[in-house]
Amino acid sequence: MPDVPRITITGTSSVRRRKGFKSRWTGPSYRVMDIVLPPVSNLSNGFQSDKDEGTDFDWYVCNTTGHDTNNDGLSVGSPFATIGKAISVATSGQSIGVRNQSDIDYNEEIVLPIGVTLSGYSTEKPVMSGGVDLGSGVQCTVADETRVGANYANVYKVTGIAKTQFVNDDPYNANLVEDGRPMTIAMGRNPNPEYRNLESYNRDWWNADSVNTTVVDDGDGPVTIIVSHVYSGLSTYTEAQILQCDIRFHRAPNGADRTPVASYDSGTTTITFDRTGYLADDPEYETNEYKNRFCLVNLLPAIQRGQWAFWDNGDGTVDVYYWPQSVSSTIQYTTLENAIDGRNSYDCTVKSIVVQQYAATNLSTGASCALRFDAPAGGNIGAFTLDNLMVRRNYSKGDGYGHLYASNHDGYSITNCTFEDGRNMFGVFLAGRHYD
């Protein structure tokens, strides 16, 4: 194989192809995509944990010895406690050195100013994380069987979590991680060991026995599309269990916005859902040839080892259930959406930092990716640099970009970066006029 510069992507992440890209996957579980971009330079072989970024910075941050009020942040002996504080005082042309002395994560979201460099200190690699500890789970008992099903003894629960704790108040964005291993939300579909973490891998979805679609258009506002799926395989589940689910359909835009189940008739095993507002005036995706193919997301009694699900209590709280690989594991869930928002920023640099466990939601309205660098539609702004980053365990609700979104910059460079363990996402989006 020729010595081709590369970005390394591992696990089940992927890169969305665009014009001007050439790509190749190798290996079923460890994948490398060679991305040839015009012009190509300085693409390298991934994150280097021992890279030394030096000790000379304008501002210093340490979340173990720092203080945002009592310290001035101007020396390694008087650091700020948060990256956000340093960002608030840094000006264009200045640099921020972030320490990692005790493996304590920076649970932060920041907006990167123009011309600022954010870097790990020396060989230390600080971790920006959207995850926090879920807390001690209680083992389920037979009293939980009506929710969890026959495997209740293997499942643990944390009850009464306010929806406001999740990104966009949506528990689907919880993105549970067990001792550094991303967990998968429980789903109703045929099993697939290789792609068990991808909701959108429709080859293994269920096929409805019959489908009925009703389109109602009163001429004033979005079309109302009511779809009923009859599937005999649902007979083992209760109405209450099914009503906790979202249904995913074969094609977008339902893939990006899962549809809550509206009703379930256990006598006829019929699921009904209302697509009002999801498709506006276009029923195309309800009438294509694959309209019988679907999966149910958050089907709690279908839970398996390494998976999780939730139960909406209807009072603004949810109970979270999980089946851990080990009862001694630490479980975290995601509370933040975006680590670094570089929209409308340029001449900025981020290097030697780990970014993990953020939850992407809506690309059009929010920062929506762990890392985002783009200008307004139709505009182009100056360059940015990402170097020696480890970006991992991020989640995207629907078919979105959870690791990195970069576009409309007039030149940028991405070197020594590794993107891995993307949950339910395309992973990385790269576009623009000139990039290395």
Side-chain angles (χ1 to χ4, degrees):
M1 176 179 173
D3 185 17
V4 180
R6 66 183 62 172
I7 293 175
T8 300
I9 300 174
T10 66
T12 52
S13 299
S14 59
V15 168
R16 169 63 73 88
R17 297 181 61 182
R18 284 292 185 268
K19 186 176 181 181
F21 282 48
K22 296 181 180 179
S23 64
R24 179 177 56 80
W25 286 121
T26 60
S29 59
Y30 185 95
R31 300 178 176 131
V32 174
M33 173 174 279
D34 299 328
I35 305 176
V36 181
L37 309 172
V40 177
S41 64
N42 298 325
L43 293 181
S44 61
N45 291 319
F47 179 74
Q48 302 167 31
S49 61
D50 58 351
K51 185 177 182 182
D52 192 339
E53 299 293 356
T55 59
D56 185 16
F57 298 92
D58 296 295
W59 303 96
Y60 297 84
V61 178
C62 180
N63 57 4
T64 56
T65 63
H67 198 283
D68 284 350
T69 303
N70 296 338
N71 292 353
D72 60 17
L74 292 172
S75 70
V76 71
S78 183
F80 292 133
T82 64
I83 300 172
K85 175 62 177 179
I87 288 291
S88 71
V89 296
T91 59
S92 182
Q94 293 189 326
S95 60
I96 301 169
V98 185
R99 304 209 64 180
N100 179 6
Q101 288 190 297
S102 302
D103 292 326
I104 298 176
D105 298 344
Y106 291 84
N107 188 234
E108 298 187 51
E109 294 177 304
I110 64 168
V111 177
L112 193 63
I114 294 172
V116 169
T117 294
L118 182 66
S119 172
Y121 176 90
S122 185
T123 59
E124 298 172 7
K125 300 297 178 285
V127 177
M128 294 187 66
S129 176
V132 297
D133 288 352
L134 179 64
S136 299
V138 177
Q139 187 176 16
C140 291
T141 68
V142 67
D144 299 290
E145 186 173 8
T146 55
R147 289 187 178 185
V148 181
N151 288 316
Y152 65 84
N154 298 303
V155 178
Y156 292 75
K157 63 180 179 180
V158 177
T159 60
I161 301 176
K163 288 184 178 181
T164 54
Q165 297 296 309
F166 306 109
V167 175
N168 284 355
D169 302 343
D170 187 346
Y172 278 105
N173 293 320
N175 185 30
L176 265 61
V177 172
E178 177 186 0
D179 286 345
R181 297 185 299 266
M183 305 184 78
T184 305
I185 195 165
M187 288 178 282
R189 66 173 194 176
N190 299 318
N192 185 316
E194 183 176 358
Y195 294 99
R196 57 185 177 273
N197 70 321
L198 295 178
E199 299 164 19
S200 57
Y201 198 71
N202 54 60
R203 179 184 301 175
D204 303 291
W205 290 4
W206 286 331
N207 290 322
D209 303 328
S210 62
V211 179
N212 178 57
T213 302
T214 303
V215 179
V216 180
D217 185 359
D218 59 8
D220 182 19
V223 168
T224 297
I225 302 172
I226 301 173
V227 185
S228 299
H229 279 50
V230 179
Y231 178 56
S232 57
L234 297 176
S235 59
T236 58
Y237 305 111
T238 68
E239 179 182 6
Q241 292 167 340
I242 297 292
L243 289 176
Q244 290 290 325
C245 299
D246 276 10
I247 189 168
R248 285 205 62 169
F249 203 59
H250 174 69
R251 298 281 293 278
N254 172 256
D257 290 300
R258 295 187 296 248
T259 312
V261 172
S263 65
Y264 174 62
D265 185 334
S266 59
T268 60
T269 62
T270 302
I271 292 177
T272 300
F273 54 103
D274 184 345
R275 296 293 303 284
T276 303
Y278 283 88
L279 293 175
D281 295 324
D282 184 3
E284 172 188 354
Y285 296 107
E286 296 298 348
T287 58
N288 67 51
E289 60 179 309
Y290 299 109
K291 64 184 179 179
N292 63 324
R293 190 170 295 175
F294 72 103
C295 74
L296 292 178
V297 186
N298 193 46
L299 184 59
L300 182 51
I303 194 170
Q304 301 175 45
R305 186 185 298 275
Q307 295 186 341
W308 69 280
F310 66 88
W311 192 278
D312 193 328
N313 296 315
D315 61 358
T317 69
V318 298
D319 299 339
V320 173
Y321 296 81
Y322 61 93
W323 184 342
Q325 299 287 349
S326 170
V327 296
S328 61
S329 296
T330 297
I331 309 295
Q332 290 195 324
Y333 72 101
T334 294
T335 61
L336 300 177
E337 178 178 7
N338 176 248
I340 300 173
D341 185 352
R343 290 178 292 177
N344 301 310
S345 184
Y346 55 89
D347 294 337
C348 54
T349 298
V350 182
K351 56 183 179 178
S352 287
I353 290 177
V354 177
V355 176
Q356 64 185 32
Q357 293 173 223
Y358 289 82
T361 53
N362 192 326
L363 191 65
S364 62
T365 61
S368 71
C369 295
L371 303 169
R372 183 164 184 180
F373 295 85
D374 63 314
N380 282 276
I381 57 180
F384 68 88
T385 297
L386 304 180
D387 179 56
N388 201 44
L389 302 183
M390 169 64 77
V391 187
R392 63 191 180 190
R393 305 173 197 158
N394 299 299
Y395 171 79
S396 174
K397 180 183 178 182
D399 296 332
Y401 310 96
H403 285 325
L404 167 66
Y405 185 93
S407 69
N408 295 334
H409 276 265
D410 193 5
Y412 55 81
S413 176
I414 302 174
T415 59
N416 303 311
C417 292
T418 295
F419 302 87
E420 68 180 21
D421 277 343
R423 302 283 96 178
N424 195 46
M425 62 170 70
F426 291 128
V428 175
F429 177 96
L430 303 176
R433 296 173 62 188
H434 305 97
Y435 28 75
D436 292 340

